[in-house]
Amino acid sequence: MNTVLKDLTEAQYADLYHVDDAPLPDLRLKALQRLGWWAVLLVAAGFAAGFLIVLPDTIPTGFVFKSEQAEAVFRFPAPVYIERQMVRNGQTVKAGDDLLELSSPDIAALAHDLEAARSNLDRFRRFRTASAASEQDGIRLTIRRIRETLALKESRRVMVETKWASESKRLEYEREEAGRLLKLNRDLFTQSVISRNDLHQFEAAALKTQSAFDLAYQTYLDQRSTLTREITSGKLEINTLETQITKNTGDLLGEENRLEAALRTARIRIESLYGPFELTGHHHLRLKAARAGTVSFLFEGEKQVPAGTTLLKLMHREAPLYGHARVTSSQIGKIRAGQRVVLKVDAYPVYEFGPVYGDISAVSLTPDEKGLFNVRLRVTHENALENRLRIGLRGQADIITDERTIFGHLTRSFRKAASDLTD
């Protein structure tokens, strides 16, 4: 042990380390000062946050995804038997692709009617049309022959006119000459230059020329009249034959239109019940896709399917999805088109996939029978749910009706509390 410490007494050791001999500084004042400054900073930060931080004012409501084009649902009013299934769930099909092959007594009867209508039309086009065409050709040949005959008669009538024009001048000259000689000889007979027999010869010559003129003129009239009558009769016959051609053509077209209408009616009857189709050789019905799309549901039960059972659903790819929501009358006053919406889909948790963003595209002006207003939601950003959304998915839509600062929310809460107390 150190010799110095060894010589110390107990009292001296205690006095050496007495607390009063080493005083500590008083920190309480500084701590209070710093705490005051921190309080001032926190209050200032709170005021700044209250004025600067904006929080959305939302109205939560449930929604369901729908499509502009409803799903094509294959469901039939009579029992059917599934012969073949050409598609599977989730398969993408094009327009005209085969979907199902069905059979049933009703389908067989409809297929028989369709085949009968098609057979009647084919038989008509093969035989009746050919015979009608042959008949029409015969009538046209007759018309052509009549027109050739009429052309000959027209030329004969022209010849008769020409012949009379030249012959009438000669006969007219002979008649006038005979009349002039008769008048001259009558004067001579009056002067007793010629005898009565000579005068009779001149009278006979004048009468003969007049008779020749009259006979030639009458012959001309008869020939012209006969030819004109024959030409007119031929033209009437041509008109009759052409009318018959028109009537036969109309009857033929009418019969063909009737058979075509019967075929269309038989096809429409099947399409109205089963949709686009094709008949097989066994009178089975092969259903086809009317438009491109994706098979969203396929019946997996027994082959014998009762009436009213949904066999297949086809979701059209080009039909955009939209959200359908409904709000109450107390909420509709704050909702208008164009407001932003946050969509949380139940099938895809928000903490894993995040929300879907959109806006309001339309709001109904009047409520439904339950007093609710329809709100149409348009999807603008699918984010992580791209190509995952489909018809029928449900969730919650937060409609952002306004954006307020924290003080704005507090002020509104105070006003609401004051209003409740006043009421």
Side-chain angles (χ1 to χ4, degrees), residues 147-216:
R147 283 177 174 161
E148 291 175 355
T149 303
L150 291 181
L152 292 175
K153 291 181 178 180
E154 286 284 357
S155 63
R156 285 181 57 190
R157 186 167 65 175
V158 172
M159 291 174 59
V160 169
E161 294 283 353
T162 304
K163 180 181 178 182
W164 168 248
S166 62
E167 189 176 358
S168 63
K169 292 180 180 179
R170 179 181 62 82
L171 294 175
E172 183 68 24
Y173 172 76
E174 291 178 353
R175 188 182 63 173
E176 290 179 355
E177 184 63 21
R180 184 183 67 78
L181 292 174
L182 177 60
K183 182 180 179 182
L184 179 61
N185 284 281
R186 278 179 178 169
D187 293 339
L188 295 175
F189 174 76
T190 304
Q191 297 173 6
S192 300
V193 175
I194 62 172
S195 65
R196 181 174 291 276
N197 289 332
D198 295 334
L199 180 62
H200 286 168
Q201 290 178 1
F202 285 105
E203 289 178 347
L207 182 61
K208 181 179 179 181
T209 55
Q210 181 65 40
S211 298
F213 180 86
D214 293 340
L215 180 61

Side-chain angles (χ1 to χ4, degrees), residues 37-307:
W37 282 110
W38 278 109
V40 171
L41 290 176
L42 290 175
V43 171
F47 273 99
F51 282 108
L52 297 178
I53 296 178
V54 177
L55 299 177
D57 193 3
T58 63
I59 294 178
T61 182
F63 77 94
V64 60
F65 278 121
K66 295 185 177 182
S67 175
E68 296 284 354
Q69 176 69 37
E71 287 182 302
V73 180
F74 291 80
R75 182 173 52 238
F76 311 115
V80 295
Y81 185 84
I82 302 177
E83 299 287 346
R84 290 176 60 194
Q85 290 180 337
M86 290 85 160
V87 293
R88 62 183 183 278
N89 276 314
Q91 179 177 340
T92 299
V93 297
K94 303 186 298 296
D97 285 354
D98 296 334
L99 301 175
L100 300 170
E101 184 174 325
L102 307 177
S103 65
S104 73
D106 291 342
I107 290 176
L110 292 172
H112 178 269
D113 293 342
L114 179 61
E115 290 295 336
R118 183 181 290 118
S119 176
N120 291 336
L121 182 59
D122 292 341
R123 192 183 310 112
F124 173 83
R125 286 174 175 171
R126 280 200 307 268
F127 303 110
R128 180 69 181 90
T129 303
S131 62
S134 177
E135 181 181 354
Q136 300 287 70
D137 290 341
I139 296 175
R140 291 189 181 95
L141 179 59
T142 302
I143 291 175
R144 187 164 59 251
R145 289 174 178 173
I146 294 174
R147 283 177 174 161
E148 291 175 355
T149 303
L150 291 181
L152 292 175
K153 291 181 178 180
E154 286 284 357
S155 63
R156 285 181 57 190
R157 186 167 65 175
V158 172
M159 291 174 59
V160 169
E161 294 283 353
T162 304
K163 180 181 178 182
W164 168 248
S166 62
E167 189 176 358
S168 63
K169 292 180 180 179
R170 179 181 62 82
L171 294 175
E172 183 68 24
Y173 172 76
E174 291 178 353
R175 188 182 63 173
E176 290 179 355
E177 184 63 21
R180 184 183 67 78
L181 292 174
L182 177 60
K183 182 180 179 182
L184 179 61
N185 284 281
R186 278 179 178 169
D187 293 339
L188 295 175
F189 174 76
T190 304
Q191 297 173 6
S192 300
V193 175
I194 62 172
S195 65
R196 181 174 291 276
N197 289 332
D198 295 334
L199 180 62
H200 286 168
Q201 290 178 1
F202 285 105
E203 289 178 347
L207 182 61
K208 181 179 179 181
T209 55
Q210 181 65 40
S211 298
F213 180 86
D214 293 340
L215 180 61
Y217 182 66
Q218 186 62 42
T219 301
Y220 157 72
L221 292 178
D222 292 342
Q223 290 178 346
R224 189 183 68 174
S225 176
T226 301
L227 291 173
T228 302
R229 185 169 58 253
E230 291 176 352
I231 291 172
T232 303
S233 177
K235 290 181 178 179
L236 289 175
E237 187 175 0
I238 289 175
N239 290 336
T240 302
L241 293 175
E242 288 178 342
T243 302
Q244 184 178 352
I245 289 177
T246 303
K247 181 179 181 301
N248 291 345
T249 302
D251 293 343
L252 195 69
L253 290 176
E255 182 67 14
E256 184 175 15
N257 290 338
R258 186 187 66 79
L259 294 175
E260 288 177 348
L263 178 61
R264 284 195 302 271
T265 301
R267 176 171 285 276
I268 291 172
R269 188 180 299 119
I270 298 178
E271 287 183 345
S272 64
L273 295 174
Y274 300 96
F277 70 95
E278 179 185 24
L279 285 181
T280 67
H282 302 287
H283 281 183
H284 295 169
L285 211 60
R286 187 171 295 163
L287 303 185
K288 295 183 172 293
R291 299 169 59 188
T294 303
V295 178
S296 58
F297 173 81
L298 183 64
F299 180 74
E300 301 289 351
E302 298 293 332
K303 295 292 185 180
Q304 187 70 36
V305 182

